[in-house]
Amino acid sequence: MKKTLQNPFNFKFQFLFLIFLGLSFSGISQTSELSVEKIMQDPNWMGTFPSNVKWSADSETIYFDYNPEKNVKDSLYKIELNNTSKISKVSLEEERGIIPSYGDFNKNRSKKIFSKDGNLVIYDVKSSETTQLLDLSEAISNAEFLADENKISFNSGNNAFIYDRKAGSIKQLTNITDGKAEEEKEDKTSEKDAWVRDENLELLEVVNQRKTEKESRETYREATAEKEDYTFYLEDRDLSNLQVSPNAKFATFKLITRERNGSTDVPNYVDESGYTANLPARSKVGEDKTSIELAIYNFEKDTVYTLKTDNLPGITDLPDYVEDYPDKEWEETHREVAPTTVYFSENGEHAVVNIRSKDNKDRWIAKIDLETGELNTLDRQRDEAWIAGPGIGYAYYGGEEMGWLPDNKHIYFQSEETGYSHLYLLDVNTGNKIALTEGDFEVFDPELSNNKKHWFLTTSEVGPGERHFYKMPVMGGKMEKLTQMEGNNNVFLSPDEKNMAILHSYSNKPWELYLKKTKANAEVKQLTEGQSEAFSSYDWREPELIEFEAEDGAMVPARLYKPEANVKNDAAVVFVHGAGYLQNAHKWWSSYFREYMFHNLLTDLGYTVIDIDYRGSAGYGRDWRTGIYRHMGGKDLSDQVDGVEYLVENHGINPEKVGIYGGSYGGFITLMGMFTEPETFKAGAALRSVTDWAHYNHGYTSNILNEPAADPIAYRRSSPIYFAEGLEGDLLIAHGMVDVNVHFQDVVRLSQRLIELGKEDWEMAIYPVEDHGFVEPSSWTDEYRRILELFNESLLD
């Protein structure tokens, strides 16, 4: 650095130290009640806040994780509807008896089937009694009622079974086993031994006769023997997602072939053994060698066949970016795909499957001919960037919102066809598709009501910075808004759908639990109030939600923290949230709560702070999400620069006094800002930063930048390490040494690059015991003390 930041005895450090402690000092017009040490300590100081909300099966009790006793971790607590003013800790014995939220109800929801401790259990809603039905040697999973509700399908080991409740019998449906089929034994008799054998048979008539009789007996036994049951061998593949159709005629499952990818060891220099231990970590982008097949087990034909995807429309389409490589020959081939989940109609007669291309540029929804395995495409969503968005799921992992209406002909799903993720219905017989929701907002977590006549769903219709819960007719129509509190309303419906448990928060108020009848005009009641006296004694700011115009005319949303005029120092700090696809300019309590509190401290000290939902952020539709395609550090960075220009023009910020910081993706943008926009940013703190995208993971990076060998242009213009020569301001790099997400190797390579370039105004802070997300308060405190020192040293002269 240009200044000596490490000297604890210089005047400025003493000045800051007094500010940290909230003490008065000659010449200081205002001091902050906050300090880095205070806001970075164990979060228990803030109070205790509910999480992981769930209902009892009888809809009479709300369970949630809570920690009023300030223990090492949260415990399970409850509030009963007959006494909502009382919060009680759940005993271990009571906790063991709670009916799990997973499982399957029968149609009239009088019974629920589930597996617990590896056993098959049924729960009677009316009597509140549970009965153990089966206890097998292998654990039971995936229990479901079939169309004939007297029969229950379940998995055990690699096979599917049916339990007949009336007969009390079990039937094995599939015969799937590891390994390979026993091959016919080859005749390995040598030429010499064969000559000896044949001569012996020719010379000795009795021996030859006995051999002939033996072969005749074996031929007869084979001809008259009963046919052996069909066996499907997994060979070198793994089995997953085994499920039985409701009519018990078919089962579907995925076959996953995994080849060992190149991996990166992360050295742990402070292992408890006293020796350096290597932590196994992910491979790098481009090293994806997993293949997935979808198989159908036909019980009547007693055979298995796999789905053929070669005829999917557009399966050979080349991406648009190939135009940037005119000298390379691109061959049209059948792209690899990854089927996610099979969805059976309630009567079991129909099935649809969600299929993703491995390059994640296509999502097909196809109807399966269960007798042949042939596919009939019902919907194709193509995105030259990558397929994603709320409710659309992920390649390999599924997670999409999809299913059937009870009419056994309509499926529902979400699509970004209009640019925003909305809910659709499609008639599998006619192919007709209708949008149930529409507008410049997004839909989250749609769920059919118990009677299948309505939808319950969350949307951002009020505005991208709010979330509310709605009810809507099953075939579409007016949405009835069931929540009214401004901010975020995370709703948990009771099983009988009569009540809503609501986790609600506002921008300056952490999450609390509320209760409300499932009606728009019902009164809402607050059930928890967890803020500590120390936390609530400070007047936490409500950041202003603003928009500013970017260089391309887009309106960019942001949070703005403005200091009082009497302490304003004309300096600004730009905070860059992590994850890329994440939203932070909103009206609810941020997951970046430490940074939020740090921004309050900075504002107390006279800084103006802006927190931008740059291009690539969540909450604003497809175009915003994909604005970083093939150029990370493009529009996502120019949005930060345009935010600074907004502050200079509208809030009196000195353009020579601007700093930037952020972690993970925010650390990456900080590096790109410091390297490519040195005239904009005088100081930056890059935390747990990606420095070279070719060294990050496959699932995330290949979506945005494709693969390095196929699209090197995208990687070259997106990786900070290629632009390090542009560093002019003061840079702090901070990284955990046991980070198995963004490996410490990233900043080691960058530091060598900076050394070779002769750069002087940078320093690195390393944290030997920290992974990607810091855990130790001492690490948080040290890191943010350094960030505050950096900004004060670099921006306030």
Side-chain angles (χ1 to χ4, degrees):
M1 294 293 182
K2 294 176 180 176
K3 290 42 170 212
T4 307
L5 303 185
Q6 296 85 354
N7 181 3
F9 302 107
N10 64 37
F11 175 80
K12 185 165 287 188
F13 184 89
Q14 296 175 38
F15 174 88
L16 291 172
F17 185 72
L18 291 172
I19 291 179
F20 291 166
L21 298 180
L23 302 177
S24 61
F25 191 82
S26 176
I28 302 175
S29 58
Q30 178 177 329
T31 58
S32 175
E33 300 173 29
L34 300 176
S35 69
V36 171
E37 288 83 0
K38 182 175 183 178
I39 61 181
M40 297 298 162
Q41 63 183 302
D42 189 312
N44 275 336
W45 82 272
M46 300 162 54
T48 183
F49 307 105
S51 63
N52 297 326
V53 177
K54 50 185 175 288
W55 283 88
S56 62
D58 62 5
S59 300
E60 295 297 324
T61 304
I62 304 172
Y63 295 103
F64 53 97
D65 290 344
Y66 213 47
N67 194 5
E69 299 171 343
K70 302 295 186 291
N71 293 320
V72 175
K73 65 177 184 177
D74 291 357
S75 299
L76 188 65
Y77 281 74
K78 67 178 180 180
I79 294 175
E80 297 175 335
L81 296 193
N82 60 11
N83 186 7
T84 57
S85 61
K86 182 181 179 182
I87 301 176
S88 305
K89 190 172 184 177
V90 177
S91 68
L92 289 176
E93 182 179 355
E94 181 182 352
E95 187 172 353
R96 292 189 193 101
I98 294 174
I99 306 302
S101 55
Y102 61 84
D104 187 41
F105 280 101
N106 60 355
K107 286 184 180 179
N108 65 12
R109 299 184 70 83
S110 62
K111 289 180 170 56
K112 183 177 184 179
I113 193 76
F114 59 93
S115 57
K116 188 172 184 180
D117 299 325
N119 303 320
L120 186 65
V121 180
I122 193 167
Y123 169 73
D124 186 283
V125 175
K126 186 175 181 179
S127 67
S128 298
E129 293 182 353
T130 58
T131 304
Q132 181 173 302
L133 300 179
L134 287 176
D135 178 6
L136 303 181
S137 57
E138 284 193 273
I140 291 171
S141 62
N142 197 33
E144 292 185 333
F145 284 103
L146 296 179
D148 176 355
E149 293 184 352
N150 287 311
K151 295 179 179 179
I152 298 164
S153 68
F154 65 89
N155 297 343
S156 185
N158 279 333
N159 284 290
F161 298 79
I162 285 181
Y163 174 72
D164 189 318
R165 293 166 56 203
K166 280 188 174 180
S169 61
I170 302 173
K171 179 182 179 182
Q172 182 170 339
L173 296 175
T174 63
N175 191 16
I176 302 172
T177 188
D178 293 327
K180 299 181 179 180
E182 186 176 348
E183 298 177 354
E184 291 185 9
K185 294 182 179 180
E186 298 178 11
D187 185 358
K188 297 182 179 180
T189 307
S190 69
E191 184 178 356
K192 176 184 72 68
D193 290 342
W195 184 88
V196 171
R197 178 196 61 201
D198 293 343
E199 183 188 38
N200 188 52
L201 291 173
E202 184 178 345
L203 289 171
L204 304 177
E205 182 178 348
V206 173
V207 174
N208 190 16
Q209 182 179 355
R210 289 178 178 177
K211 175 180 181 295
T212 302
E213 291 174 353
K214 177 183 177 184
E215 291 174 347
S216 298
R217 287 194 300 270
E218 289 176 352
T219 301
Y220 176 78
R221 280 198 300 268
E222 290 176 2
T224 59
E226 292 186 10
K227 182 182 177 182
E228 291 186 10
D229 290 338
Y230 173 76
T231 301
F232 180 79
Y233 293 91
L234 293 175
E235 299 180 350
D236 56 353
R237 300 166 296 188
D238 295 326
L239 179 144
S240 72
N241 293 75
L242 174 62
Q243 57 180 341
V244 177
S245 64
N247 58 11
K249 292 183 178 180
F250 304 93
T252 60
F253 55 95
K254 289 199 289 190
L255 295 166
I256 304 173
T257 304
R258 294 183 174 92
E259 293 184 30
R260 181 172 175 81
N261 297 327
S263 61
T264 303
D265 289 330
V266 174
N268 179 8
Y269 293 101
V270 289
D271 184 73
E272 63 182 26
S273 67
Y275 292 85
T276 299
N278 285 330
L279 303 176
R282 56 160 176 80
S283 57
K284 300 182 188 297
V285 60
E287 295 179 338
D288 172 34
K289 299 175 183 177
T290 301
S291 63
I292 301 177
E293 300 173 277
L294 185 64
I296 300 174
Y297 206 124
N298 187 319
F299 300 139
E300 291 181 354
K301 295 181 179 179
D302 198 20
T303 190
V304 170
Y305 34 89
T306 56
L307 268 65
K308 305 301 180 185
T309 59
D310 291 353
N311 292 325
L312 289 171
I315 191 65
T316 62
D317 287 359
L318 291 172
D320 287 354
Y321 72 80
V322 302
E323 297 173 0
D324 285 353
Y325 301 93
D327 297 331
K328 183 176 179 179
E329 292 187 11
W330 296 87
E331 182 182 355
E332 287 191 357
T333 60
H334 291 93
R335 287 177 288 155
E336 290 187 79
V337 300
T340 59
T341 306
V342 173
Y343 299 88
F344 288 102
S345 59
E346 288 188 6
N347 60 12
E349 294 179 3
H350 307 290
V352 294
V353 61
N354 189 307
I355 302 173
R356 305 286 284 261
S357 59
K358 284 183 65 176
D359 64 10
N360 218 7
K361 297 186 185 303
D362 276 283
R363 191 273 308 269
W364 297 272
I365 297 173
K367 185 178 179 181
I368 306 171
D369 185 328
L370 293 167
E371 293 289 345
T372 66
E374 297 294 322
L375 295 174
N376 176 30
T377 300
L378 301 171
D379 185 78
R380 179 193 180 193
Q381 182 182 332
R382 169 78 176 182
D383 197 318
E384 282 297 333
W386 73 98
I387 299 289
I392 296 174
Y394 305 91
Y396 300 111
Y397 308 111
E400 65 273 359
E401 296 291 344
M402 194 169 172
W404 288 81
L405 296 190
D407 62 7
N408 293 301
K409 70 175 185 177
H410 283 97
I411 59 169
Y412 63 86
F413 58 92
Q414 285 186 244
S415 171
E416 278 189 324
E417 180 178 318
T418 64
Y420 291 85
S421 183
H422 283 290
L423 182 62
Y424 290 80
L425 287 183
L426 188 149
D427 188 319
V428 299
N429 297 321
T430 66
N432 291 334
K433 180 173 66 173
I434 59 171
L436 299 185
T437 59
E438 57 184 354
D440 292 349
F441 64 89
E442 295 184 315
V443 169
F444 308 89
D445 306 318
E447 183 178 357
L448 282 168
S449 62
N450 291 342
N451 61 14
K452 312 297 184 184
K453 294 182 179 180
H454 295 89
W455 292 99
F456 291 107
L457 65 162
T458 297
T459 85
S460 57
E461 184 180 26
V462 170
E466 287 196 57
R467 297 286 185 273
H468 286 282
F469 193 65
Y470 296 81
K471 185 178 181 179
M472 180 179 69
V474 70
M475 299 304 291
K478 183 179 179 181
M479 294 194 300
E480 181 184 14
K481 186 164 166 279
L482 298 178
T483 56
Q484 310 301 331
M485 294 181 288
E486 188 177 9
N488 193 336
N489 297 271
N490 191 0
V491 172
F492 303 85
L493 269 178
S494 60
D496 62 11
E497 298 178 347
K498 294 179 180 179
N499 290 287
M500 301 183 294
I502 307 171
L503 274 182
H504 171 267
S505 73
Y506 193 62
S507 55
N508 60 351
K509 296 176 182 177
W511 300 94
E512 300 288 3
L513 184 60
Y514 296 76
L515 178 66
K516 185 182 181 183
K517 294 288 185 184
T518 312
K519 298 178 181 178
N521 58 358
E523 181 182 354
V524 63
K525 181 176 183 179
Q526 185 169 345
L527 302 181
T528 64
E529 191 169 353
Q531 293 186 29
S532 68
E533 184 177 347
F535 181 81
S536 59
S537 65
Y538 179 84
D539 187 15
W540 298 102
R541 289 173 175 80
E542 179 184 337
E544 182 182 351
L545 289 184
I546 62 151
E547 287 186 333
F548 60 85
E549 187 173 359
E551 61 183 5
D552 63 355
M555 299 305 295
V556 183
R559 275 183 167 192
L560 182 65
Y561 301 75
K562 296 187 294 186
E564 298 295 330
N566 63 324
V567 297
K568 188 172 182 290
N569 57 23
D570 298 336
V573 171
V574 178
F575 170 66
V576 189
H577 69 68
Y581 189 66
L582 180 143
Q583 185 178 6
N584 208 42
H586 50 59
K587 292 184 179 180
W588 60 87
W589 185 248
S590 174
S591 58
Y592 288 95
F593 63 91
R594 291 183 178 88
E595 289 80 356
Y596 165 77
M597 293 188 287
F598 183 60
H599 298 161
N600 276 265
L601 169 60
L602 288 173
T603 310
D604 284 348
L605 299 177
Y607 289 91
T608 300
V609 181
I610 192 168
D611 172 4
I612 300 169
D613 272 347
Y614 50 87
R615 241 64 70 95
S617 296
Y620 308 97
R622 181 266 171 195
D623 290 348
W624 207 262
R625 174 179 65 78
T626 62
I628 58 174
Y629 177 58
R630 297 191 69 218
H631 192 183
M632 299 156 88
K635 289 182 179 180
D636 45 358
L637 176 58
S638 64
D639 285 345
Q640 317 294 334
V641 175
D642 293 335
V644 172
E645 291 180 1
Y646 163 81
L647 294 179
V648 171
E649 294 174 4
N650 296 277
H651 294 279
I653 295 303
N654 184 338
E656 300 297 320
K657 299 169 67 173
V658 178
I660 184 171
Y661 89 102
S664 196
Y665 198 98
F668 150 72
I669 287 291
T670 297
L671 291 175
M672 290 295 275
M674 294 297 293
F675 294 167
T676 67
E677 295 286 343
E679 69 283 359
T680 303
F681 302 108
K682 187 176 181 182
L687 322 175
R688 50 197 178 275
S689 318
V690 175
T691 67
D692 187 344
W693 287 107
H695 288 254
Y696 197 51
N697 70 30
H698 182 85
Y700 178 86
T701 318
S702 64
N703 283 343
I704 304 171
L705 301 180
N706 304 305
E707 294 190 15
D711 194 4
I713 292 173
Y715 283 81
R716 182 82 186 219
R717 66 187 175 199
S718 299
S719 297
I721 199 167
Y722 292 108
F723 302 95
E725 67 274 5
L727 178 63
E728 295 179 12
D730 297 334
L731 173 63
L732 168 66
I733 300 171
H735 213 105
M737 293 184 74
V738 289
D739 190 335
V740 296
N741 181 10
V742 180
H743 301 160
F744 185 59
Q745 180 193 29
D746 264 51
V747 292
V748 172
R749 293 177 70 243
L750 178 62
S751 66
Q752 179 60 29
R753 179 81 176 126
L754 293 170
I755 291 168
E756 292 176 5
L757 290 167
K759 297 298 180 180
E760 298 178 357
D761 301 320
W762 65 280
E763 66 179 13
M764 184 184 297
I766 60 175
Y767 298 88
V769 301
E770 297 294 357
D771 197 343
H772 195 61
F774 283 16
V775 174
E776 300 300 327
S778 58
S779 301
W780 282 106
T781 300
D782 182 85
E783 183 179 53
Y784 275 78
R785 173 186 60 79
R786 292 173 185 273
I787 297 170
L788 185 55
E789 282 186 25
L790 169 71
F791 291 148
N792 279 288
E793 291 279 359
S794 300
L795 306 181
L796 297 188
D797 281 348

